[in-house]
Amino acid sequence: MPSHDFRAPRLFVDAPLAQDARVTLDRDQSNYLGNVLRLAAGAEVLAFNGRDGEWQAAIEGRKRPDSLVILQRVRLQDALPDLAYVFAPLKHARLDYTVQKAVEMGAAILQPVQTRFTQASRVNTERMRANVIEAAEQCGILSLAAVAEPAALDRYLSQRPSGRLLVFCDEAAEVEDPVRSLQQARQSGRGIDVLIGPEGGFADEERALLLRQPTILRLALGPRILRADTAGVAALALVQAVLGDWAGPRG
């Protein structure tokens, strides 16, 4: 299979993809291809659905793009690492940024959790899903991260599988070598949850509850306090580099 084409427009379509199939475009997709990208019938794009890999497709339509005809597959479907990004949601643009960056970093699940000091009381999960799709389209990602419904922190902790590693990023932890800590916590096949708290940090009772969890790694992200959206990128980069798929398949 050829490597990723960074120049061709990419479009997520919620339809099965196979050679010679035709996919009807919705109004927003038609507007994007015809009015934003100025593409007409016969122009080619890349289409993916999160299940069937990536396909070359040709635009059809007389006055404006109204469908795609699927030509050939150019990349096989891949799979995301078993990595969940668990976070206290932020407001508006910073939440958009957080979702987009978590997708780019390879998170398979986005789980908002409500804590005592969480800034955003309401979470628009449909907007989150739209940001997941946009980030995947722009970055050549084939598999879409799942967006979970918001949950209170204590309820989330009571329901998560105990065998998964919980990387608890805690601004109150002692600063130690995070790479060494993650290497010592390495386990195979059980999944990883990376937890980032709100701008105001965790309440004392929340921290105590977290520290009672099984299979937990309490991690400081350096000697400076990071904003929550910055902390998420830093934590996911560390976890992906040491325990995730950045280093390629592990023997």
Side-chain angles (χ1 to χ4, degrees):
M1 291 290 175
S3 60
H4 174 57
D5 183 349
F6 286 97
R7 292 179 294 277
R10 299 182 78 241
L11 193 68
F12 170 79
V13 294
D14 189 13
L17 295 176
Q19 190 168 356
D20 298 326
R22 278 177 167 75
V23 176
T24 301
L25 299 172
D26 63 30
R27 182 183 298 273
D28 289 341
Q29 292 171 327
S30 176
N31 178 70
Y32 174 68
L33 294 178
N35 296 328
V36 178
L37 298 183
R38 303 289 185 180
L39 298 177
E44 293 188 0
V45 299
L46 297 174
F48 70 105
N49 61 6
R51 305 183 298 274
D52 300 322
E54 184 171 71
W55 295 74
Q56 282 183 335
I59 295 173
E60 293 186 327
R62 291 188 176 181
K63 294 184 178 180
R64 65 178 186 177
D66 57 29
S67 62
L68 300 177
V69 58
I70 307 304
L71 303 176
Q72 64 175 339
R73 183 157 53 189
V74 295
R75 285 199 293 163
L76 296 173
Q77 185 63 40
D78 61 9
L80 293 169
D82 190 2
L83 174 64
Y85 181 56
V86 186
F87 63 101
L90 302 168
K91 292 182 178 180
H92 310 305
R94 292 183 63 204
L95 178 58
D96 294 345
Y97 174 91
T98 295
V99 171
Q100 292 163 5
K101 298 312 164 189
V103 170
E104 292 176 37
M105 304 296 281
I109 300 173
L110 306 180
Q111 173 64 71
V113 291
Q114 296 289 343
T115 70
R116 178 188 287 189
F117 301 125
T118 296
Q119 293 180 339
S121 58
R122 297 182 180 179
V123 180
N124 186 337
T125 53
E126 287 304 311
R127 184 182 177 97
M128 286 180 61
R129 292 185 181 97
N131 274 290
V132 168
I133 291 171
E134 181 180 349
E137 287 177 336
Q138 293 179 354
C139 297
I141 296 169
L142 295 180
S143 297
L144 296 182
V147 176
E149 291 300 315
L153 177 64
D154 56 352
R155 182 159 62 88
Y156 160 74
L157 292 173
S158 69
Q159 295 175 349
R160 64 181 295 274
S162 59
R164 294 176 65 86
L165 175 63
L166 177 61
V167 179
F168 166 34
C169 298
D170 185 5
E171 70 280 2
E174 292 294 329
V175 176
E176 298 178 351
D177 183 347
V179 172
R180 182 184 306 160
S181 298
L182 287 164
Q183 288 172 336
Q184 293 172 347
R186 177 175 286 135
Q187 56 182 0
S188 59
R190 296 192 178 183
I192 304 170
D193 301 332
V194 176
L195 173 62
I196 300 292
E199 291 290 317
F202 291 99
D204 290 342
E205 64 272 19
E206 292 170 339
R207 182 173 287 106
L209 175 62
L210 284 162
L211 294 177
R212 292 196 298 268
Q213 301 303 304
T215 325
I216 187 170
L217 171 62
R218 188 186 187 195
L219 198 66
L221 296 174
R224 289 165 292 279
I225 298 297
L226 303 178
R227 290 176 60 151
D229 43 358
T230 307
V233 174
L236 288 169
L238 284 167
V239 169
Q240 280 285 59
V242 179
L243 303 179
D245 63 2
W246 283 15
R250 299 183 185 276

